[in-house]
Amino acid sequence: MTATWGAPGRVNLIGEHVDYNDGLVLPFALPWTTVTTVTASSGDTVTVESEGAGHAEFPVDAVPGDVSGWAAYIAGVVWALRDRGHNLPGLQFRISSEVPDGAGLSSSAALTCSVACAVNAECELGLDKPTLADIARVAENRFAGAPTGAMDQLASMLCEADSALLLDCQSMQWRQIPFDVSPAGLTLLLIDTQARHELVGSEYGDRRRDCESAARVLGVASLREATLEAVDQLHDEQLRRRAHHVVTEIQRVADVAELLDNGQVADIGAFLTASHDSLRDDFQVSVKVIDATVDAAVRAGALGARMVGGGFGGCVITLCRTDDELAIRESVHSMYDDRGWKDPAFSEPHPSLGAREVSAP
């Protein structure tokens, strides 16, 4: 028997760096997937053939620290399943991916979710998608060392076509919100700046620790419970900035969700730009190329634009009138040419379906 599953990357429309603060997030799934085919085998060895990364091999009972690099994400899923009592056999994986690495589009979640779904099907574990999403998150956090929240994996698992997923990371409740901008004469333009990032590095973890410190000083379990008035009284400027972003970003997500529920798609643009400003100034996770891309898009007529993902590189999501799209592309290209930067890549992602069984590649 062989199982083949695909899981997509995601764009977080708004709600950056609030999932690990018990906040609200609003991601949608990309049309690009990572596809994993797995076959159970005799013995106690896991082998992986990846179109993009090569070959890896490790024992099925590998524990954190035994496997490093890209293979740690696959090993982490196997370990997390075994850690929950599932006695897995040897496994043979074949993996291919359309999701670009380091672009802030959750390529790692696409990988771990596709692996978890394929193993679940092949070994007949009977686990549901929320449980598999948690398995994938644990694999990233505890085995690969990436301190992500729960959003990326749940988005990859649960998103539906033509919808964004409103996820409450405190209650873990979610609902689908219709999200198709084209009937309003609008376009979602994703701009890959070609500046790559790595979430296992210290900067992401530092921001998470700052948020935890701010919550302790404020006497709350998480910044989800903090008020803006209390945050503004923090004496430590760095903690105050971090907490200010989180509290205001959670409110922006709620506001955008309400606008989408009311069919006011064009009105969300200002919230996207405000989110970017907060990430740049208060959370300090943007970089020069990202800021310049946002500025060029807005100057050319975009309704709103913001960085996507954990920061320090990656992509910009832009909402614009379809009639203005060409001018925005030209403005961004011209700015890159003037500065001697590598050309950006443009796409128009449509909110797509989450993890699903697919035909073997």
Side-chain angles (χ1 to χ4, degrees):
M1 180 178 171
T2 296
T4 302
W5 277 70
R10 63 93 188 98
V11 165
N12 189 20
L13 181 64
I14 194 164
E16 221 66 82
H17 283 278
V18 302
D19 57 340
Y20 55 81
N21 289 291
D22 290 344
L24 302 173
V25 294
L26 193 60
F28 64 88
L30 290 164
W32 312 314
T33 60
T34 295
V35 175
T36 294
T37 296
V38 63
T39 303
S41 62
S42 59
D44 57 4
T45 300
V46 175
T47 60
V48 186
E49 297 293 339
S50 169
E51 285 186 5
H55 176 84
E57 187 172 309
F58 50 85
V60 73
D61 59 356
V63 297
D66 287 351
V67 184
S68 61
W70 63 271
Y73 291 90
I74 298 98
V77 172
V78 174
W79 168 78
L81 286 167
R82 285 174 51 84
D83 191 56
R84 297 196 185 187
H86 301 286
N87 187 21
L88 301 182
L91 299 164
Q92 297 176 342
F93 290 98
R94 295 196 312 276
I95 297 172
S96 62
S97 184
E98 306 165 319
V99 187
D101 290 336
L105 304 178
S106 292
S107 58
S108 58
L111 173 59
T112 54
C113 287
S114 68
V115 168
C117 286
V119 174
N120 180 59
E122 172 69 358
C123 298
E124 300 180 338
L125 303 181
L127 302 176
D128 61 17
K129 283 187 173 182
T131 301
L132 291 170
D134 192 54
I135 291 289
R137 179 193 61 77
V138 169
E140 293 199 49
N141 290 174
R142 297 177 57 191
F143 202 106
T148 65
M151 173 187 66
D152 295 347
Q153 298 81 17
L154 284 167
S156 186
M157 288 287 188
L158 301 175
C159 280
E160 296 181 0
D162 299 319
S163 299
L165 183 77
L166 179 61
L167 172 65
D168 185 327
C169 296
Q170 184 175 61
S171 68
M172 299 312 294
Q173 299 293 308
W174 67 83
R175 66 182 177 92
Q176 307 288 343
I177 295 180
F179 184 52
D180 183 1
V181 303
S182 55
L186 304 174
T187 294
L188 278 175
L189 183 63
L190 186 67
I191 307 170
D192 187 344
T193 68
Q194 307 293 338
R196 291 298 177 253
H197 69 172
E198 175 56 68
L199 289 187
V200 179
S202 65
E203 295 281 7
Y204 187 98
D206 289 346
R207 297 308 186 278
R208 185 165 185 163
R209 283 186 289 273
D210 283 347
C211 292
E212 292 167 351
S213 295
R216 282 196 299 271
V217 173
L218 292 169
V220 294
S222 71
L223 289 178
R224 174 66 178 278
E225 300 174 11
T227 66
L228 196 55
E229 293 76 14
V231 166
D232 288 342
Q233 298 303 311
L234 286 170
H235 296 297
D236 186 297
E237 181 182 359
Q238 180 166 297
L239 297 187
R240 184 169 65 251
R241 284 187 172 192
R242 306 295 187 255
H244 190 274
H245 165 73
V246 172
V247 173
T248 57
E249 184 80 345
I250 291 170
Q251 184 59 53
R252 281 188 286 270
V253 177
D255 292 339
V256 167
E258 183 177 1
L259 289 170
L260 293 180
D261 280 332
N262 293 332
Q264 298 172 262
V265 183
D267 292 339
I268 73 173
F271 292 89
L272 302 185
T273 305
S275 172
H276 181 77
D277 291 347
S278 181
L279 287 159
R280 180 193 64 209
D281 299 335
D282 282 340
F283 224 66
Q284 298 176 301
V285 292
S286 190
V287 291
K288 179 170 66 174
V289 64
I290 295 287
D291 294 338
T293 302
V294 168
D295 291 344
V298 172
R299 282 198 309 270
L303 300 175
R306 63 179 292 273
M307 56 157 276
V308 171
F312 311 105
C315 292
V316 168
I317 187 70
T318 300
L319 179 70
C320 63
R321 298 178 185 86
T322 301
D323 290 345
D324 293 333
E325 180 188 350
L326 180 58
I328 291 168
R329 286 177 179 251
E330 291 176 345
S331 174
V332 173
H333 259 305
S334 177
M335 183 269 293
Y336 275 57
D337 286 344
D338 289 346
R339 301 189 183 202
W341 292 342
K342 182 179 179 180
D343 285 343
F346 297 88
S347 58
E348 300 172 20
H350 192 83
S352 300
L353 183 64
R356 67 271 194 187
E357 188 173 12
V358 298
S359 300

